[in-house]
C-alpha cells in the first residue's frame, strides 16, 4: 500500500510546474553546504547528493573500481544483507539510486516525509557503512562484466571507446569507467573500501533538497547523514587537451549500417561565450527536425534516420560532438554533408530567423524542466557543481535573449572547426578509409 501511495505522490510532484523557484542556501553546523527549496504541498522529499571525482579517481591498474563500488552500495551495509536492505527500503516506499560517471558520483533519494528519519537512516548506513561482502562483490562484478562484453559488440560503444582513447589517451577520460575484463576481475574487497574512501569525501560534496522540509532543519539532517564521511580525498586529475586531429578512423565491423561519432575540442561551461555556443549547437544539430544537419542529411538526402550534435563541457576537457548512422554505401556522403554544414555555419553563420527560432525554443522549454521535486533537486545540484549562483534560474533566459546575431556568428567562426573534425566510423563503409 505504501508503494501505491508513493507512486501517487510522485505523479503529483511531477505535475507541479514551477517557474519561480525560491532557493535557500544552507550551511550545516558541521560545514556541509546545500541548496533547499521548500515545497510543503506534497509530503515528499527529493534529495540529490553529488561527489566530484568519481571514476576519474580510480587508482592505477584499478580501472572500474569506483563504478563497481557504486553498484555495491545497496548490496549490504551495517548488519544487513543485500536482501534485508532492499526489504527495509521497500517497506519505507523509498527510492535510492547510486551511479558512477566519469567525474560525478551520484546518489539520489526519494521518500515520504512521514518516513524521513527511517529512510535517511537507511541511506546513511549505505553511504557510511557498506560491507562489500564477497558474495555481493562477485554478483555485481558478473553484471559489470556482462555489460563490458555487451559493449564490445555494440557499434556505438565501440565508436565511443575508440574516440575517447584517441582524444584523451592515458587520462581517465580515455578509457571506459567500467574498466576492462582484466581490471574488473582483479578488483578485491580492499579495492572497494579504497574506492569508497576516495570517492565519498566532504570536500567534493554537493547537495540539494526539495520538498516537504524546512530549510532550518536541513543542516542537522545533513550532518546526521554525511558528517562521518572523510573530510578530504585525493587530488582530482589534471585537465587534458583534446588529442585528435581532423580525419577519419574506420573500425571494421560486420554490419549493414555504419555508425559515426565525430567532433573536436569545445568550449568551457564558464566561458562567457557558452550561451552563444549553446544556440549554435541548437541550430546546427541539437534542434531535432529544425536543425540544419537533420534538414540536409535526412530530409533532403535521406541518408539517415537521425543526426544530432551536443556540447560536452566535462570538468577537465571540452568537446563538440555529434553522431550519425547510415548505410555502408551512404555513410561517406553523410560525413561529407556534415562537414560541409559545419563549414557553412562557421563561415556564414546563422540567419536572424534561425536565431529567433532557437531563442523561442530554448527560453520556452526551460521552465518546463522544473516540473517536480526530483527534477528541481537534480537541476540545483548540477548548478552548484558548475559554479552557478541560485539566481541563474531567474536570469538564464535573459542571457539567451541578450545575444545578438553578431555575437553568435562570431562564436560560430571561433568554435566550429570543420578541418579539425574527426570521425570514428564503425562498420564496413564504402569509399572511406582511415585518414589521420
Amino acid at each position: 500500500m505504501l508503494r501505491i501511495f508513493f507512486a501517487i505522490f510522485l505523479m503529483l510532484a511531477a505535475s507541479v510546474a514551477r517557474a519561480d523557484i525560491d532557493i535557500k542556501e544552507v550551511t550545516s553546523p558541521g560545514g556541509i553546504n546545500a541548496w533547499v527549496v521548500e515545497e510543503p504541498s506534497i509530503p515528499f522529499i527529493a534529495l540529490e547528493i553529488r561527489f566530484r571525482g568519481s571514476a576519474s579517481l580510480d587508482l592505477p591498474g584499478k580501472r572500474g573500481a569506483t563504478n563497481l563500488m557504486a553498484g555495491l552500495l545497496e548490496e549490504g551495509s551495517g548488519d544487513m544483507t543485500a536482501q534485508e536492505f532492499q526489504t527495509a527500503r521497500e517497506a519505507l516506499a523509498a527510492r535510492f539510486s547510486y551511479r558512477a560517471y566519469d567525474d560525478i558520483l551520484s546518489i539520489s533519494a526519494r521518500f515520504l516525509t512521514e518516513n524521513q528519519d527511517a529512510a535517511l537512516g537507511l541511506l546513511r548506513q549505505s553511504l557510511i557503512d557498506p560491507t562489500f561482502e564477497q558474495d555481493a562483490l562477485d554478483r555485481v562484478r558478473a553484471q559489470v562484466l556482462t555489460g563490458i562484453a555487451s559493449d564490445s559488440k555494440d557499434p556505438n560503444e565501440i565508436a565511443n571507446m575508440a574516440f575517447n582513447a584517441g582524444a584523451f589517451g592515458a587520462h581517465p577520460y580515455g578509457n571506459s569507467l567500467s574498466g576492462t575484463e582484466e581490471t574488473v576481475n582483479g578488483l578485491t574487497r580492499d579495492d572497494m573500501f579504497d574506492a569508497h574512501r576516495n570517492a565519498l569525501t566532504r570536500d567534493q560534496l554537493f547537495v540539494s533538497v526539495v520538498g516537504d522540509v524546512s530549510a532550518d532543519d536541513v543542516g542537522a539532517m545533513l550532518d546526521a547523514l554525511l558528517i562521518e564521511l572523510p573530510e578530504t580525498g585525493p587530488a582530482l586529475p589534471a585537465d587534458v587537451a583534446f588529442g585528435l586531429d581532423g580525419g577519419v578512423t574506420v573500425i571494421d565491423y560486420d554490419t549493414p549500417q555504419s555508425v559515426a561519432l565525430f567532433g573536436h575540442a569545445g568550449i568551457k561551461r564558464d566561458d562567457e561565450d557558452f550561451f552563444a555556443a549553446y544556440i549554435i549547437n541548437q541550430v546546427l544539430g541539437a534542434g531535432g527536425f529544425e536543425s540544419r544537419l537533420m534538414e540536409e542529411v535526412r530530409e533532403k538526402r535521406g541518408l539517415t534516420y537521425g543526426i544530432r550534435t551536443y556540447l560536452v563541457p566535462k570538468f577537465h576537457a571540452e568537446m563538440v560532438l555529434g553522431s550519425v548512422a547510415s548505410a555502408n554505401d551512404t555513410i561517406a556522403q553523410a560525413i561529407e554533408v556534415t562537414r560541409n554544414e559545419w563549414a557553412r555555419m562557421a563561415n556564414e553563420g546563422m540567419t536572424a530567423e534561425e536565431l529567433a527560432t532557437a531563442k523561442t525554443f530554448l527560453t520556452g522549454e526551460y521552465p518546463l524542466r522544473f516540473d517536480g521535486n526530483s527534477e528541481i533537486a537534480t537541476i540545483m545540484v548540477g548548478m552548484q557543481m558548475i559554479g552557478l549562483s541560485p539566481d541563474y534560474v531567474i536570469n538564464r533566459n535573459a542571457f539567451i535573449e541578450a545575444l545578438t546575431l553578431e555575437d553568435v556568428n562570431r562564436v560560430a567562426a571561433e568554435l566550429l572547426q570543420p578541418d579539425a573534425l574527426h570521425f570514428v566510423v564503425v562498420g564496413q563503409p564504402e569509399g572511406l578509409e582511415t585518414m589521420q
Side-chain angles (χ1 to χ4, degrees):
M1 184 63 71
L2 277 173
R3 278 178 286 182
I4 295 174
F5 285 138
F6 187 63
I8 293 172
F9 285 131
L10 282 177
M11 289 187 289
L12 288 172
S15 69
V16 181
R18 280 161 277 182
D20 298 323
I21 308 298
D22 181 15
I23 300 174
K24 298 180 179 180
E25 297 182 80
V26 171
T27 300
S28 77
I32 297 173
N33 298 315
W35 288 8
V36 181
V37 170
E38 299 174 342
E39 180 47 69
S41 63
I42 301 171
F44 159 72
I45 298 172
L47 170 66
E48 290 291 333
I49 301 169
R50 300 288 187 274
F51 296 93
R52 185 171 173 182
S54 190
S56 67
L57 299 175
D58 282 343
L59 296 174
K62 304 295 183 180
R63 191 59 169 162
T66 303
N67 178 64
L68 182 55
M69 180 275 295
L72 286 164
L73 289 177
E74 59 181 341
E75 296 292 332
S77 54
D79 59 359
M80 288 183 177
T81 65
Q83 184 59 47
E84 289 169 339
F85 182 87
Q86 297 298 341
T87 299
R89 181 188 56 76
E90 290 180 6
L92 294 170
R95 296 184 180 181
F96 302 155
S97 172
Y98 312 81
R99 291 288 303 274
Y101 301 93
D102 278 336
D103 292 306
I104 299 169
L105 182 66
S106 165
I107 294 99
S108 303
R110 312 286 183 260
F111 47 86
L112 301 174
T113 309
E114 65 182 76
N115 295 335
Q116 173 180 327
D117 292 343
L120 288 171
L122 196 62
L123 179 63
R124 176 198 168 279
Q125 177 180 292
S126 72
L127 299 178
I128 304 298
D129 192 23
T131 55
F132 303 128
E133 293 295 340
Q134 191 64 47
D135 61 339
L137 172 57
D138 291 340
R139 183 176 63 254
V140 177
R141 186 205 316 272
Q143 296 169 1
V144 172
L145 290 171
T146 297
I148 291 172
S150 176
D151 287 348
S152 71
K153 300 175 183 178
D154 183 329
N156 290 292
E157 289 299 326
I158 294 170
N160 185 60
M161 288 186 284
F163 191 94
N164 289 336
F168 303 117
H171 190 277
Y173 290 167
N175 47 80
S176 170
L177 64 86
S178 296
T180 66
E181 182 178 349
E182 179 182 5
T183 61
V184 172
N185 272 320
L187 294 172
T188 66
R189 285 189 72 212
D190 286 343
D191 294 326
M192 296 301 95
F193 285 109
D194 288 342
H196 178 264
R197 184 167 49 252
N198 289 339
L200 278 74
T201 61
R202 300 202 313 273
D203 61 332
Q204 300 296 345
L205 173 65
F206 301 85
V207 184
S208 66
V209 186
V210 179
D212 185 21
V213 63
S214 167
D216 294 335
D217 298 331
V218 166
M221 180 182 86
L222 295 180
D223 278 352
L225 179 65
L226 301 166
I227 202 65
E228 293 180 58
L229 291 173
E231 183 176 356
T232 61
L236 299 174
D239 291 350
V240 58
F242 185 86
L244 277 172
D245 295 326
V248 177
T249 298
V250 175
I251 299 174
D252 183 72
Y253 193 81
D254 187 9
T255 176
Q257 178 175 265
S258 291
V259 300
L261 178 66
F262 56 91
H264 57 55
I267 185 170
K268 292 182 180 296
R269 179 58 185 80
D270 60 359
D271 192 293
E272 63 182 9
D273 286 329
F274 182 82
F275 277 114
Y278 195 62
I279 290 177
I280 292 161
N281 180 57
Q282 177 71 16
V283 173
L284 180 61
F289 286 96
E290 298 295 322
S291 72
R292 285 190 179 185
L293 286 174
M294 280 287 276
E295 174 68 17
E296 296 296 329
V297 182
R298 172 177 166 150
E299 296 303 304
K300 287 186 178 180
R301 296 172 176 85
L303 301 175
T304 184
Y305 283 110
I307 182 171
R308 64 174 288 109
T309 61
Y310 30 98
L311 302 180
V312 185
K314 291 175 174 283
F315 285 112
H316 304 293
E318 309 79 38
M319 296 177 284
V320 185
L321 296 181
S323 58
V324 64
S326 187
N328 284 328
D329 62 352
T330 57
I331 187 68
Q333 185 183 0
I335 288 174
E336 180 183 10
V337 175
T338 298
R339 191 181 279 114
N340 289 342
E341 284 305 305
W342 214 269
R344 184 163 75 92
M345 180 69 84
N347 296 330
E348 302 175 12
M350 69 180 67
T351 67
E353 182 180 0
E354 287 174 320
L355 175 59
T357 299
K359 283 184 175 182
T360 298
F361 175 80
L362 293 174
T363 57
E365 61 86 28
Y366 185 65
L368 302 180
R369 300 183 190 180
F370 299 85
D371 63 351
N373 291 356
S374 300
E375 290 75 14
I376 295 170
T378 299
I379 291 170
M380 288 200 310
V381 79
M383 288 169 55
Q384 293 174 67
M385 294 198 77
I386 59 177
L388 298 176
S389 61
D391 61 5
Y392 172 82
V393 296
I394 299 172
N395 299 325
R396 182 264 196 186
N397 279 354
F399 296 148
I400 290 176
E401 292 288 8
L403 289 165
T404 66
L405 188 62
E406 181 181 7
D407 293 330
V408 294
N409 287 341
R410 171 185 59 80
V411 175
E414 296 169 356
L415 175 66
L416 300 178
Q417 306 165 50
D419 292 338
L421 276 175
H422 194 99
F423 293 81
V424 173
V425 183
V426 178
Q428 295 180 326
E430 298 179 12
L432 276 181
E433 59 184 20
T434 296
M435 297 181 295
Q436 303 293 344

